Amino acid sequence: MIPTTDTDLILLKAKISAPAMKEHLIPRDRLLASITAGLKRRLTLLCAPAGFGKTTLLTQWVHAQAQACAWVTLDDLDNDNIRFWRYMIHALASAAPSQADRILPLANILPSASISTFLDALINELCSLTEPLPLILDNYHRIEDQRIHDNLSYFIDYLPSSVHILISTRTELPFSTVKWMLQEERTEISAHQLEFTKDETIQFFNEVSGIELHQRHIQQLMLQTEGWVTGLQLVSISFRSETNYDRFIGEFHGNHRSVSDYLFHEVVSKLPDDVYRFLLATSVLDRMDSQICTSICPETDSLQMLESVKNLNLFLVPLDDRDQWYRYYHLFAQYLQKLLQKNDPVQWLQSNLVASKCFAERGWMDEAIDHAIAAKDFALVELYLEQHLPIVLERGEISTLLRWFESFPKSYGLSLEMSLMYTFTLMLTGQFDRSEAELELVDQACQSLDDKMRQKQLQSGILFVKSNLLFAAGKFTKWLSSSHDMLNEMLPENPTYYNFNYNMTEPQVRRTALGLKGLLSSETEAVGKLFMEKLESHGWQHSLIHLYVKQSLAEGYYEWNQLDSSRSAALFIEAAAISKKTPGLLIPLRMTQSLLYIAQGLTHVALSTIEELIEIARRDFGDHWVNTLRAFKARIHLKDGHIAEAKKELAPLQVSAKDRPTFNREYHYVTLVRLLAKQHKEKEALRLLELLKPQCEREQLLSSIVEISMLQALLEYQRGQRNAALSYLHEALLIGERNGYVRSFLDEGMPMAELLSIYLGQSKSGGITDRNSVSESYVNQLLTLFPNEKLPSALHPPSAAASLSRNEINLIRLIRNGATNKQIAAELYLSEGTVKVYLSRLYEKLGVSSRTQALMAVQDLRLSDHES
């Protein structure tokens, strides 16, 4: 999801940009050289406690580089798998603009696809980089989510050589890096290496602070601070008002935390009162500008104060190059926050409360909610959460939503309506047992309500969530058994339940989780119809969930070859889909309608429909949807044998037979496979399918597994490998019969009819030995739906000639017509060398050595039976 508002862009840019360079920094050439040398490896780790200059060093290094660098500044909010990886996507796209149009769309495949699929897709796109790209993750110690740790470890494991990860953290990484160390793929810069050397310390005081110290003072400071950068910086600030250097240096000692507290106290206690109060009050902010600071300190000229704090070198970090946004050094902010909470807890709560309201007024609800939690104003948390919940659901950041819900203390009386949303959130995270337990508590509390109208609304919401729980768990029979109670109850009025966008990327709704990823049965149809009746009876017929269920049914009916039912469902959706301009609904609808036109023989109408939609998508929906429609249009051309037109449509998609395909572009690559099949490039096509199939199986996408298995069967049959073809066809038929698939087979045309008839013959003769059998009635049902006048002679027991592949039969036909090798190559889109190879294989199969002998060997073969 790409930010669209100015405020979103400001915060995004601050998180994915390196901090601005401060003036008068000590050049640390030895460490900068170490980072540069480490680029040849996989990972560079900067691990040291707070205040050792990790971020400053990385900032220096980035600004010294001629090449682009991706940067992500992490904070507590990033403990959400979806949010974390979306920021990673934006950072990488920003640093690699030439690949941005391929990298940015990946942000939209979460959370609909699995994280594994997402990571594979991201890694695949990064493999296309032609220039080195360092990726910096600053403050990784803020990340506590184990899933993020696991995913990042996987990501680093499979990084292409062009990408290098640099991580700064205060603690050891929570995943093992030993394997990379043993492989000499890890560079580590430790706290000891980050310590200032004696020469750097002298240079710091002489050139940066303008203080000349005796050698003994330098020696004492090196001993006391152990080269700790922040300690030295604090000392330099204290020396502005201290003349007795010996006394001052002798009075602080201990570990870094105790030294920092002592030195911070020394610095802060000598500040003017107005600056001191400003620092304390604004320390609650992770990021600030003058407007937010003014809200917290209304009696202060915040713009001037920020400039003063910056000039005093009081640990203020600019977040942009316009000096509008800042943050305090983390260690300094933590010291101030601890001081404020201890000495003025009322101001702590007040500052967070004002910050919360200010962020909310400016539309930054994530920060507003977190500050309301810190202010312990849980009524405000609930109010903001209720307002912001639909947006967070749309972003798919369910972990963040769950964290907010679980921030409420048990003593707080969360409204039953929001408690119900909490159970809904638990269900979305797959915590079905917890959701069910919480739902039971809401149900019990609901029984004692005096307000009968509110009680009825809540009861309807409870039933709604219960029904979703059963549906999500695949308990369709139980859902249907309880449907009578549902249909006699009201539906909840909260539109959040009904207007979630269930499809961000897929060309068909039946490929999504809502569409059950291709699962079809009479039970799922009944559930869908009853659910829609319920929605329609309460006025929700134009809600997104109703339209998506209806579209899923339209696609299911088309698959079942119930074309009138499919057409009727599509017609119902059309007006609402056009008005809503939701691409995940409108594009699958138009594609379904186009398939229906093709089934009627109206291919020209289908093409016109898609061409018109491409123009709309280009204007309103973006490249992803345009490319999906181009792929669909290419499929239409291929079905009509227009190979040149299909190639033209696929060209902008930048897919190649040499690629390593990923699931997020599976529809595009399967379209390419169809083109390769028409070009008789079976080997290249089969390679792509072999790589795609495990990914579809991992996503449990039945419709794609069937399509891929069918294409593998047809390709093997085309190149004469009949046994392999029948094995793949068997896989497709097993899934197809369980789900009643028809059009998937029928739309492949007569090559599929030939193969099905051979399969049927083998099945009858015991040639299909798989213990999971496909019924002959199902295969017969499919065969009877192909046009009778074109049914292959292979419906009869196969003759010896049936062992010839379709490609070889085409060769025989061209030889019979007197075609030269060059003419055959042009007709079949092959090179002359490939034609010679194919002829050699044909002669070997027929046991002959010339064209004349080949024609005599097949003189009884009825070629017309094999042409479509």
Side-chain angles (χ1 to χ4, degrees):
M1 183 172 299
I2 301 169
T4 55
T5 67
D6 290 341
T7 53
D8 285 338
L9 289 170
I10 289 169
L11 292 181
L12 172 69
K13 188 169 177 59
K15 280 184 66 70
I16 65 170
S17 300
M21 274 281 283
K22 298 186 71 176
E23 297 178 358
H24 310 303
L25 291 175
I26 299 299
R28 312 198 71 187
D29 296 338
R30 61 189 175 87
L31 296 176
L32 296 175
S34 181
I35 293 175
T36 301
L39 291 180
K40 298 175 182 177
R41 299 179 174 184
R42 190 180 301 270
L43 171 69
T44 294
L45 180 63
L46 285 77
C47 184
F52 269 84
K54 299 182 294 296
T55 301
T56 302
L57 178 65
L58 288 171
T59 302
Q60 281 182 288
W61 183 79
V62 167
H63 285 282
Q65 297 303 299
Q67 68 199 65
C69 300
W71 182 292
V72 183
T73 299
L74 298 166
D75 55 47
D76 293 342
L77 282 174
D78 297 317
N79 281 286
D80 183 300
N81 221 10
I82 306 301
R83 180 186 176 96
F84 177 91
W85 287 103
R86 281 194 178 136
Y87 273 119
M88 291 276 275
I89 285 290
H90 284 289
L92 290 163
S94 177
S98 63
Q99 292 292 112
D101 59 339
R102 294 175 67 94
I103 293 174
L104 276 176
L106 298 179
N108 292 327
I109 73 173
L110 291 173
S112 55
S114 72
I115 191 68
S116 298
T117 289
F118 164 80
L119 290 173
D120 288 347
L122 176 56
I123 292 166
N124 186 66
E125 296 301 343
L126 293 177
C127 286
S128 303
L129 293 174
T130 55
E131 297 292 331
L133 179 59
L135 169 59
I136 296 168
L137 302 180
D138 194 24
N139 297 329
Y140 192 78
H141 55 271
R142 304 286 288 271
I143 301 301
E144 299 175 350
D145 190 309
Q146 187 58 46
R147 292 171 303 169
I148 295 176
H149 301 324
D150 294 342
N151 295 331
L152 182 61
S153 177
Y154 176 88
F155 180 66
I156 296 172
D157 245 342
Y158 293 96
L159 273 181
S161 58
S162 56
V163 181
H164 179 80
I165 301 282
L166 300 97
I167 298 177
S168 80
T169 176
R170 295 181 188 176
T171 59
E172 290 293 328
L173 289 180
F175 51 86
S176 175
T177 62
V178 173
K179 56 187 172 185
W180 302 319
M181 180 184 70
L182 295 175
Q183 296 165 4
E184 296 187 342
E185 290 281 357
R186 186 188 82 179
T187 299
E188 183 165 352
I189 298 177
S190 65
H192 177 67
Q193 292 169 278
L194 287 163
E195 292 170 2
F196 263 31
T197 63
K198 182 179 178 181
D199 289 341
E200 288 171 337
T201 304
I202 293 171
Q203 188 178 3
F204 173 75
F205 278 102
N206 289 349
E207 297 181 13
V208 178
S209 302
I211 300 171
E212 290 191 20
L213 297 177
H214 293 298
Q215 285 293 325
R216 73 172 189 280
H217 293 143
I218 295 293
Q219 287 295 124
Q220 283 181 285
L221 283 173
M222 290 293 294
L223 185 63
Q224 293 286 64
T225 64
E226 296 179 337
W228 182 43
V229 180
T230 298
L232 293 170
Q233 192 173 359
L234 284 163
V235 168
S236 73
I237 296 172
S238 298
F239 278 178
R240 295 174 189 168
S241 57
E242 179 63 58
T243 56
N244 190 339
Y245 295 164
D246 291 303
R247 182 200 63 79
F248 183 85
I249 295 172
E251 284 185 355
F252 70 84
H253 54 83
N255 59 32
H256 294 134
R257 173 62 69 183
S258 62
V259 169
S260 69
D261 286 354
Y262 172 81
L263 293 174
F264 279 137
H265 175 72
E266 284 294 311
V267 170
V268 170
S269 64
K270 294 174 183 177
L271 290 172
D273 189 56
D274 59 336
V275 177
Y276 176 71
R277 284 188 281 106
F278 177 84
L279 291 175
L280 284 179
T282 57
S283 67
V284 303
L285 301 168
D286 281 337
R287 56 183 68 88
M288 66 190 88
D289 66 355
S290 60
Q291 183 178 337
I292 293 174
C293 291
T294 298
S295 299
I296 294 175
C297 303
E299 298 177 359
T300 303
D301 182 345
S302 294
L303 192 59
Q304 182 60 46
M305 182 61 76
L306 285 168
E307 190 63 29
S308 298
V309 172
K310 180 184 172 186
N311 292 336
L312 287 168
N313 201 22
L314 285 174
F315 307 102
L316 191 67
V317 181
L319 295 177
D320 57 36
D321 52 12
R322 293 174 294 174
D323 283 352
Q324 291 183 355
W325 285 88
Y326 299 91
R327 68 167 173 83
Y328 294 121
Y329 274 40
H330 296 305
L331 192 60
F332 188 49
Q334 289 164 11
Y335 170 78
L336 292 173
Q337 289 168 8
K338 188 169 71 171
L339 197 63
L340 182 60
Q341 285 177 291
K342 178 182 177 183
N343 296 341
D344 196 349
V346 174
Q347 181 62 55
W348 165 266
L349 297 175
Q350 179 64 17
S351 288
N352 274 294
L353 183 60
V354 172
S356 175
K357 292 179 178 179
C358 187
F359 276 117
E361 286 170 5
R362 297 175 70 176
W364 297 324
M365 298 305 296
D366 288 4
E367 284 78 6
I369 292 171
D370 275 327
H371 279 293
I373 292 169
K376 298 184 179 180
D377 190 334
F378 293 105
L380 189 64
V381 175
E382 183 173 6
L383 175 65
Y384 287 165
L385 186 50
E386 188 175 2
Q387 295 172 3
H388 194 40
L389 193 145
I391 294 172
V392 183
L393 280 174
E394 186 178 348
R395 292 196 317 228
E397 294 174 11
I398 311 302
S399 294
T400 297
L401 194 57
L402 189 60
R403 177 174 64 81
W404 285 333
F405 268 119
E406 295 187 340
S407 71
F408 289 99
K410 290 184 178 180
S411 58
Y412 179 77
L414 189 65
S415 71
L416 291 177
E417 287 78 7
M418 288 300 287
S419 295
L420 187 59
M421 289 305 306
Y422 174 44
T423 68
F424 189 61
T425 303
L426 286 169
M427 183 204 72
L428 291 175
T429 59
Q431 300 182 63
F432 299 145
D433 291 341
R434 284 188 65 196
S435 178
E436 204 167 339
E438 291 292 332
L439 196 61
E440 186 63 33
L441 295 176
V442 175
D443 197 5
Q444 290 172 10
C446 180
Q447 304 305 319
S448 60
L449 287 176
D450 294 327
D451 185 336
K452 297 304 177 186
M453 182 53 110
R454 184 186 175 204
Q455 184 184 59
K456 201 160 185 65
Q457 271 296 322
L458 276 166
Q459 286 173 336
S460 63
I462 290 165
L463 283 170
F464 184 88
V465 176
K466 277 183 179 177
S467 72
N468 275 272
L469 270 170
L470 292 173
F471 189 81
K475 300 176 181 178
F476 305 123
T477 303
K478 192 172 181 180
W479 191 99
L480 288 168
S481 68
S482 63
S483 63
H484 178 75
D485 292 333
M486 276 193 60
L487 294 174
N488 288 323
E489 293 289 342
M490 295 172 61
L491 282 177
E493 294 178 354
N494 190 340
T496 302
Y497 291 112
Y498 312 114
N499 287 307
F500 183 68
N501 190 357
Y502 289 90
N503 183 24
M504 303 296 291
T505 59
E506 293 292 353
Q508 293 177 311
V509 175
R510 62 190 288 248
R511 289 167 59 99
T512 68
L514 179 74
L516 300 175
K517 299 190 174 186
L519 176 69
L520 292 175
S521 70
S522 57
E523 282 186 335
T524 61
E525 178 195 15
V527 168
K529 290 171 73 172
L530 282 170
F531 187 60
M532 287 191 304
E533 286 175 18
K534 177 71 170 170
L535 290 168
E536 290 168 16
S537 68
H538 291 90
W540 290 105
Q541 63 269 25
H542 296 308
S543 64
L544 272 180
I545 190 170
H546 180 273
L547 295 171
Y548 271 128
V549 172
K550 194 83 167 179
Q551 173 60 26
S552 186
L553 279 175
E555 294 168 14
Y557 287 138
Y558 177 82
E559 181 59 68
W560 281 348
N561 204 33
Q562 297 178 20
L563 302 188
D564 288 339
S565 296
S566 178
R567 198 173 291 111
S568 175
L571 186 62
F572 178 94
I573 300 165
E574 188 169 27
I578 293 170
S579 67
K580 285 185 179 294
K581 291 187 176 180
T582 302
L585 178 65
L586 180 59
I587 286 172
L589 167 67
R590 289 300 194 216
M591 288 172 66
T592 301
Q593 289 175 320
S594 297
L595 290 171
L596 290 165
Y597 290 138
I598 293 168
Q600 291 177 271
L602 302 173
T603 301
H604 64 289
V605 179
L607 281 170
S608 177
T609 299
I610 297 305
E611 286 164 0
E612 180 183 338
L613 189 54
I614 286 174
E615 292 306 310
I616 295 171
R618 188 176 285 118
R619 184 184 69 236
D620 298 333
F621 301 152
D623 290 344
H624 169 77
W625 292 109
V626 172
N627 290 339
T628 295
L629 289 167
R630 281 187 177 278
F632 182 68
K633 189 178 174 185
R635 291 185 180 211
I636 298 175
H637 285 312
L638 288 170
K639 195 172 180 64
D640 275 2
H642 300 148
I643 296 176
E645 288 89 341
K647 285 179 67 176
K648 183 180 177 181
E649 292 299 333
L650 281 180
L653 274 62
Q654 296 180 311
V655 288
S656 163
K658 297 179 181 178
D659 292 346
R660 184 175 181 83
T662 51
F663 179 78
N664 65 303
R665 303 192 70 200
E666 178 256 350
Y667 189 77
H668 300 168
Y669 278 107
V670 172
T671 307
L672 173 62
V673 164
R674 292 181 177 279
L675 172 62
L676 293 171
K678 289 288 186 181
Q679 296 172 319
H680 303 278
K681 296 178 180 179
E682 295 91 353
K683 184 177 179 181
E684 293 96 323
L686 285 165
R687 172 189 165 273
L688 290 174
L689 294 177
E690 192 67 28
L691 292 169
L692 281 169
K693 195 171 187 177
Q695 299 179 57
C696 293
E697 289 171 341
R698 181 178 64 195
E699 296 297 318
Q700 300 179 325
L701 185 55
L702 298 181
S703 55
S704 285
I705 297 170
V706 168
E707 182 180 16
I708 288 173
S709 296
M710 286 192 307
L711 288 173
Q712 287 175 310
L714 291 169
L715 285 161
E716 292 289 9
Y717 182 51
Q718 184 170 296
R719 67 175 186 169
Q721 302 298 317
R722 192 172 73 168
N723 289 340
L726 293 176
S727 177
Y728 285 127
L729 180 61
H730 183 71
E731 291 178 19
L733 288 169
L734 282 172
I735 299 173
E737 183 171 25
R738 285 198 294 268
N739 293 275
Y741 282 16
V742 174
R743 293 302 312 194
S744 286
F745 297 92
L746 195 58
D747 288 346
E748 296 299 335
M750 297 317 296
M752 177 56 69
E754 290 179 20
L755 197 51
L756 283 169
S757 64
I758 295 171
Y759 178 91
L760 184 62
Q762 288 286 306
S763 179
K764 288 179 176 178
S765 64
I768 306 296
T769 58
D770 194 300
R771 62 182 179 181
N772 297 312
S773 61
V774 176
S775 69
E776 291 181 11
S777 62
Y778 176 58
V779 181
N780 271 319
Q781 174 202 349
L782 293 175
L783 281 167
T784 58
L785 292 171
F786 288 91
N788 288 329
E789 67 274 12
K790 291 186 178 182
L791 280 177
S793 58
L795 274 172
H796 308 293
S799 64
S803 65
L804 291 179
S805 71
R806 186 172 190 78
N807 193 27
E808 290 162 339
I809 291 171
N810 283 333
L811 278 175
I812 292 292
R813 175 175 56 80
L814 291 168
I815 292 170
R816 181 173 288 174
N817 293 338
T820 65
N821 285 2
K822 185 174 182 179
Q823 290 169 329
I824 293 173
E827 175 76 16
L828 299 180
Y829 296 91
L830 301 171
S831 68
E832 285 190 61
T834 303
V835 169
K836 291 177 181 177
V837 171
Y838 279 14
L839 285 172
S840 175
R841 290 176 183 170
L842 175 65
Y843 295 164
E844 183 180 352
K845 182 178 285 190
L846 294 175
V848 300
S849 58
S850 69
R851 288 181 173 224
T852 303
Q853 290 174 351
L855 290 175
M856 291 177 63
V858 297
Q859 61 184 347
D860 295 329
L861 180 61
R862 291 173 293 172
L863 293 181
S864 60
D865 288 340
H866 295 266
E867 297 173 9
S868 59

Short mmCIF file of all heavy atoms in Angstrom, two decimals, residues 9 62 229 298 418 457 601 605 627 722 773 775 808:
data_model
loop_
_atom_site.label_atom_id
_atom_site.label_comp_id
_atom_site.label_asym_id
_atom_site.label_seq_id
_atom_site.Cartn_x
_atom_site.Cartn_y
_atom_site.Cartn_z
N LEU A 9 3.46 10.84 3.31
CA LEU A 9 4.72 10.95 2.59
C LEU A 9 5.82 11.54 3.46
O LEU A 9 6.98 11.14 3.37
CB LEU A 9 4.52 11.80 1.33
CG LEU A 9 3.70 11.12 0.22
CD1 LEU A 9 3.34 12.10 -0.87
CD2 LEU A 9 4.46 9.94 -0.36
N VAL A 62 26.91 6.73 4.34
CA VAL A 62 25.92 6.89 3.26
C VAL A 62 26.19 8.16 2.47
O VAL A 62 26.17 8.17 1.24
CB VAL A 62 24.48 6.90 3.84
CG1 VAL A 62 23.48 7.38 2.79
CG2 VAL A 62 24.09 5.50 4.32
N VAL A 229 31.51 7.69 22.66
CA VAL A 229 31.31 8.92 21.91
C VAL A 229 30.36 9.88 22.64
O VAL A 229 30.67 11.06 22.81
CB VAL A 229 30.77 8.60 20.50
CG1 VAL A 229 30.55 9.89 19.72
CG2 VAL A 229 31.72 7.68 19.77
N PRO A 298 2.55 25.60 24.69
CA PRO A 298 1.89 26.73 24.01
C PRO A 298 2.51 28.09 24.30
O PRO A 298 2.32 29.03 23.52
CB PRO A 298 0.45 26.65 24.51
CG PRO A 298 0.51 25.88 25.77
CD PRO A 298 1.65 24.92 25.63
N MET A 418 -16.74 -2.75 20.78
CA MET A 418 -15.31 -2.85 20.48
C MET A 418 -14.74 -4.20 20.91
O MET A 418 -13.81 -4.72 20.30
CB MET A 418 -14.56 -1.71 21.15
CG MET A 418 -14.81 -0.35 20.49
SD MET A 418 -14.30 -0.32 18.75
CE MET A 418 -12.52 -0.27 18.93
N GLN A 457 -28.60 -5.69 18.18
CA GLN A 457 -27.49 -5.38 17.28
C GLN A 457 -26.24 -6.20 17.64
O GLN A 457 -25.56 -6.75 16.78
CB GLN A 457 -27.14 -3.89 17.34
CG GLN A 457 -27.91 -3.02 16.36
CD GLN A 457 -27.58 -3.35 14.92
OE1 GLN A 457 -26.44 -3.66 14.57
NE2 GLN A 457 -28.60 -3.33 14.07
N GLY A 601 -18.85 -17.56 -28.69
CA GLY A 601 -18.27 -17.31 -30.00
C GLY A 601 -18.10 -15.84 -30.31
O GLY A 601 -17.87 -15.46 -31.46
N VAL A 605 -16.13 -9.26 -29.12
CA VAL A 605 -16.73 -8.50 -28.02
C VAL A 605 -15.86 -8.59 -26.77
O VAL A 605 -15.68 -7.60 -26.05
CB VAL A 605 -18.17 -9.01 -27.72
CG1 VAL A 605 -18.79 -8.21 -26.57
CG2 VAL A 605 -19.03 -8.91 -28.96
N ASN A 627 -1.19 -4.70 -16.51
CA ASN A 627 -0.44 -5.88 -16.93
C ASN A 627 -1.27 -7.16 -16.83
O ASN A 627 -1.14 -8.07 -17.66
CB ASN A 627 0.84 -6.01 -16.11
CG ASN A 627 1.85 -4.94 -16.47
OD1 ASN A 627 1.79 -4.35 -17.54
ND2 ASN A 627 2.76 -4.66 -15.55
N ARG A 722 3.87 -39.34 -23.80
CA ARG A 722 2.48 -39.60 -23.44
C ARG A 722 2.31 -40.03 -21.99
O ARG A 722 1.38 -39.60 -21.32
CB ARG A 722 1.89 -40.67 -24.37
CG ARG A 722 0.38 -40.77 -24.23
CD ARG A 722 -0.22 -41.66 -25.27
NE ARG A 722 0.06 -43.07 -25.02
CZ ARG A 722 -0.53 -44.08 -25.64
NH1 ARG A 722 -1.42 -43.82 -26.57
NH2 ARG A 722 -0.23 -45.32 -25.36
N SER A 773 -8.26 -42.80 -7.64
CA SER A 773 -8.80 -42.94 -9.00
C SER A 773 -9.72 -41.77 -9.35
O SER A 773 -10.31 -41.11 -8.48
CB SER A 773 -9.57 -44.25 -9.13
OG SER A 773 -10.66 -44.26 -8.22
N SER A 775 -13.11 -41.01 -11.63
CA SER A 775 -14.20 -41.80 -12.17
C SER A 775 -14.30 -41.65 -13.68
O SER A 775 -14.07 -40.55 -14.22
CB SER A 775 -15.54 -41.39 -11.53
OG SER A 775 -15.91 -40.09 -11.94
N GLU A 808 4.39 -33.65 -33.87
CA GLU A 808 4.87 -34.56 -34.92
C GLU A 808 3.82 -34.72 -36.02
O GLU A 808 4.15 -34.84 -37.21
CB GLU A 808 5.24 -35.91 -34.30
CG GLU A 808 6.50 -35.82 -33.45
CD GLU A 808 6.67 -36.98 -32.49
OE1 GLU A 808 5.66 -37.67 -32.18
OE2 GLU A 808 7.80 -37.19 -32.03
#
